[in-house]
Each structure stands twice: as structure tokens, then as C-alpha cells.
Amino acid sequence: MRYAHSARRYVVLSVLLGVLTAGLVLAQAVLLARSISDVYLGGATLEDLRAPMVLLGLVVLGRAAVAWAQESAAHHASAQVRSQLRRQLFAHAGRLGPVWLSGERSGELTTLATRGIDALEGYFSRYLPQLVLACLVPWAVLAVVVPADLLAGLTIVLTLPLIPVFMVLVGLQARRRMDRQWRALERLSGHFLDVVAGLPTLKVFGRAKAQAAAVGDTTERYRVATMGTLRLAFLSALVLELLATLSVALVAVGVGLRLVEGGLSLQTALLVLILAPEAYQPLRQVGVHYHASAEGLAAAERVFAVLETPPPVGGTRTDVPDLRGTRLSVRDLTVRHDDATAPMLAGFSMDVRPGELLAVTGASGAGKSTLLAVLAGLVAPSSGRVTVGDVDLTDLDREAWWRHLTWLPQRPAFVAGTVADNVRLADPQASDAAVARALAEAGADFVPALAAGQDTVLGAGGAGLSAGQRQRVALARAFLRDTPLVLLDEPTAGLDAATEAHVVAALHRLAVGRTVVVVAHRPALVAAADRVVGVGHRVEEAA
């Protein structure tokens, strides 16, 4: 209700339809009991029953229409709620930022956003409507049965709570089983996606078969968890059916004995016997449909856990100083990660002068990528400060700050589509000429194909491009975006000498009129810098 506003309208509609259903159930029982009694005791003819039968037919049609309306509303509400939850999940994941996303396995998030949210269909189309009926129909039945036959009404009142009690006991066990099954599915999804992504490397080192065995083991655990959940669901359905059947039998025995003794009229006895199963039916169905919705509810709780994760706190100032003439200063910077035993960048300081190409060097794990994340506003410093001129970076609105910079991580993201589509990630409204110009400035060799209208189609993750081509397409985004500050994280990592020379040349063109901070390991990239700053030790020298 809190996250999906359309669910509120649906619940109100479900209550109204539930009230209408309860009224139709009572009307059907009264018409049937009266008609049968009139035939057997009053000798009513077909002519006498014409009006009651027409009314009964209308009631049956009314119940069918209400059931159709409930089903239609359920599917419509389910689609709206799932759409809203997905939008909120993606939007909040974006607010949490790439640092948080790097801590989540992409397979688990993908499963959560697809199958997990899709599983809410059973909750809205089956469980929730039945829950509304379970709250309305038994009370409506008792309102009619108790005045007509107090003893039968008391029997229903005493036996009716047995079903919810056993439903809760079984449901708690089912929830634990469902949580275990969902965790197994998340592990399987994440493991399988990681294995597929790293399959070329695993094949080279002869570890593909071992990983296949690991995936098989995880799959077997998921199969066992799933079968255990299904077994519990079937057993719980049997328990609820047995309780409902025994409860109806108790009512029927009492009614039959008093009917034989003459203490009860046939019409009243028929009314009670017709309505008694209707009192237990909604509660029994709630237990049955609960299991169909359990997976969706378990996934929804994981979605809510993500939505309730607080995003990094940012400032509110939108007046970002002009970076083309403003110094970026880092003073006594320290960053502490939750899972790290020692702080990163303990007391680190440096200045970034406007218009320079600054190389950041240091050993692996020294905090170079963390430094770029702090400069990009993606990670908040534990102590120290970063200032843009005389403005503290934490005081600036993150969205406003991001509009003034370009950030390329070690492994730039690529989507399935054309090369132009991937370059346009920096500016979706860019023209074909602007995209071609950015590719040419980055030294990419796709310009002739673009000019001929034959753009290269890529798979997910940039499949179809070499490592050097991916880096140059990523640099083309920086040319297309044209921001005064560019942050690059090892843009030449894994490239051969010839490809590295092309990327370094493109980097020189990119640095014209911009401030560029680049994390560098390779000597060619370090030599191209105007200045070098070492992370992990206090070294600063002119190139």
C-alpha cells in the first residue's frame, strides 16, 4: 500500500465486490431453500416457481459477473502495481548509485526485478480477493444463520477459528520454506550469470567443468527447496480441507437430528446446510492461495528492503562553480568502507588545477578508484573534505554536480544495440553527426560504417567489440558529453601497445579545454599527464 498507490484503489474495489458477493451468496441460499421447501412441503408447481427461478438465475449470473469483475480488476491492479514497483526499484537503485550496485550481485537484482515482482500476480489475482471474501462472507453467513438456528450458528462460531489457527501454523512454516527457496534461487541466478560472464576465462584455465558442477549443486539445492515448499503446500491444503469438511459435518449432523425430531423446519435446515459450506469456503481458499502468493510476498519484502535502503545524503546547492576556471581541492581525505578493516586514502590531500591532465598512480588497493568515486560524488568521505573553489562538494546537489562531469569506470557499461546507441548513453538527444564526430575524435573506426548507414550491432556488455574498441567507444561518450571535468579509471588497462597509443592520443584530444583526472598504471598513460599524484604515499612531481 505504501509503495504502490494503485493497490489502495484495488483494495477498496475488492471490498465493494466482496460485499456484493456476500449478498449474492445469501440471496442464492434463501432462494434455493425456499424453492425446495415449497416443492416438497407446499406442492409448488413450475408456474409457482417461475419468479424464484428467474431471480435465482439472475443471482447466479450476478455472481459470475462479480467474479469476472474481480478477476479483471485483479489483473489490472497487478499489472499497475508491478509496473510501479519496478519503476521505484530502478529509480531507487539509481539513487543508491553504482557503488551500492557493485555490492549487489546483478543476477540477484535481475531475478528480483523480473520473476520476483512477476510472482505478485498470484497475490493480487488470487490471495487478496479471497482474503477480502474471508473477512466478509463468514460474518454475513453468521448474520443469517444465528437468528435462524442458534445451535448451528454456535457450532460454526466455535469451529470457524480452527481454520485460521491451522492456517497460521502452516503459513509460518511455509514462509520459512519460501524464504529458503528464494535465497537458493538468488544464489543460483547470481552464480549462473557470473559463470556465463566469465566462461571464456574459465575455459582458458580449464575450470569450466568445475563451475558446471557447482551450478549443478546449486540447482539441486533449489530443486530440493522447491519440492519441500510444494509438499508443504499440498499437505496444508489437505489439512484445511479436512477441517472444513469435519466442521460442515458437525453442523449437518446437528441440523439432521433436530430436523428428524421436528425441532427445525425444512426451509431453515436447508438454509443452514447451504450456507454452512459458504462460511468455511473463503477461509479454506485463503490458505490454498496463500502458497501461490508466498513467492511474490517473499520477493516483495526483498524489494521493500532495497527501497528502504537510504541513498547517500547529498547537498541541496545547485550553483556549481565553473570548473573551467576553478580549482578542485582534496584535503585530509579518509574513506572507510563497511567491510574493510583499514581506511582508504587516510589523510590524503591533492589539488586538481583547471585545464590539466592529472594522472593518479599507486598500488592496487591503495584507493585510486575510491578517490575518483569521491570526486564524482558517489562516495561520501568519512573525514576530510573536497571543495570546488570555496564550495564543499557535500553541499552540492548530486544531480547538479553530475551534469558537470563525465565518469568512465574501469569497465564501462554497454547495452545491446548499435555503437551509436551506446555512444548516445552520454546524450540521448545527440544527432548522428554529433555521434560520428565524437567517435572520430575518440579514434574509433566506426565512422565510415555510420556514414554508410551500416552501424555495428552489439550484444549485451559490448559483445562484438574488442577491448580497445570498447575503450574508444567509451571515450567517445566523453567527447559527446562535453563536460568540464572528466574522470577516467584506467582507460588503457588490458590494451596492447598499439591500441594504447590510439587511446592515449584520443585522451590528449579529450583533455583540450577540459580538466581530466585519470587513474593510470601504464607508463605511456603516466607520461601523457601534465602532473602525477601518488596515492598511498606523498609523491607529487611534474611530468
Side-chain angles (χ1 to χ4, degrees), residues 494-533:
L495 303 183
D496 57 64
T499 305
E500 182 184 38
H502 284 293
V503 172
V504 170
L507 189 58
H508 272 295
R509 293 190 293 271
L510 179 63
V512 176
R514 298 178 178 90
T515 301
V516 179
V517 180
V518 56
V519 170
H521 272 303
R522 307 280 286 265
L525 190 57
V526 174
D530 300 322
R531 197 159 52 95
V532 179
V533 171

Side-chain angles (χ1 to χ4, degrees), residues 46 89 99 123 160 234 441:
L46 285 176
L89 180 64
V99 174
Y123 176 79
L160 203 59
F234 290 141
E441 290 175 328

Side-chain angles (χ1 to χ4, degrees), residues 202-222:
L202 294 172
K203 192 72 175 176
V204 168
F205 288 97
R207 299 296 299 168
K209 290 184 178 180
Q211 287 301 317
V215 171
D217 182 62
T218 307
T219 304
E220 177 63 18
R221 289 200 299 271
Y222 176 63

Side-chain angles (χ1 to χ4, degrees), residues 12-47:
V12 172
L13 180 60
S14 292
V15 170
L16 295 177
L17 293 174
V19 171
L20 188 55
T21 299
L24 291 172
V25 166
L26 298 179
Q28 179 177 312
V30 170
L31 287 170
L32 277 173
R34 183 175 298 170
S35 299
I36 295 173
S37 177
D38 288 345
V39 169
Y40 282 93
L41 298 182
T45 63
L46 285 176
E47 185 65 28

Side-chain angles (χ1 to χ4, degrees), residues 107-152:
E108 295 174 3
L109 284 175
T110 301
T111 304
L112 187 63
T114 52
R115 172 173 172 171
I117 293 180
D118 279 339
L120 285 172
E121 172 74 22
Y123 176 79
F124 282 94
S125 61
R126 296 288 181 267
Y127 176 71
L128 193 56
Q130 203 62 49
L131 187 63
V132 172
L133 292 178
C135 294
L136 296 174
V137 173
W139 291 106
V141 169
L142 287 173
V144 174
V145 171
V146 170
D149 184 4
L150 181 59
L151 185 57

